Amino acid sequence: MAAVAVCRVLEETFGIVAEIKWVNDIFIDGKKIGGILTEAISMSYASKAKAIILGIGLNLVRPGDGYPVELRDKVGALSDFLDRPSENADGIAFVEDDQGILVINRNVLIAMIVNELSKIIRALPNREYLDEYRGRCFILGKKVVIDDGRTVVPTGVSDDGALIYLDENGRECELISGEISLVSY
């Protein structure tokens, strides 16, 4: 849900198409600009989560001294993809700093993401956002390396958010958590 909310806000506000690398990374034009982490808090006597903590990190501007050499081809910042404010963003998501330079208004951006996430949550149990997630998930059909070192080709994302792939025997498997690396973008 959070990944879809972030992508929607970036697209609607800045006119930038963002993609998702399962399960929690936000990419623009092949560069990672952000990530999402979640943690469930539960009571030892309850079987359901009591709360979920959601952390969203977005690179808004390029570091002053640039990216380290080993990351230059892999990471980016939202500002790297903005020529000028789009009609939707003008005066809303940008503010002028002391020198008259337009900068991204972090507070407005955060509020927009929270509002979009709230829309998705209010629509539950409708899970149409999953279709959008799948459509933005650029690793489907491409070779990835999973945690245990195996190379697989993801075929889909389940309704529970698991990565679906076929094992070496052609059986459908699900990866419910972990890290994947794209063999090539």
Side-chain angles (χ1 to χ4, degrees), residues 38-56:
T38 59
E39 182 176 334
I41 298 174
S42 60
M43 304 300 282
S44 59
Y45 55 86
S47 60
K48 293 186 177 182
K50 181 176 180 181
I52 296 175
I53 298 171
L54 177 65
I56 300 172

Side-chain angles (χ1 to χ4, degrees), residues 6 27 36 46-47 74 76 82 85 88 101 107 115 120 122 141 154 182:
V6 169
F27 277 68
I36 300 166
S47 60
K74 298 176 183 179
L82 300 175
N88 292 339
I101 298 170
N107 294 330
N115 288 341
I120 295 170
R122 282 192 311 269
L182 194 59

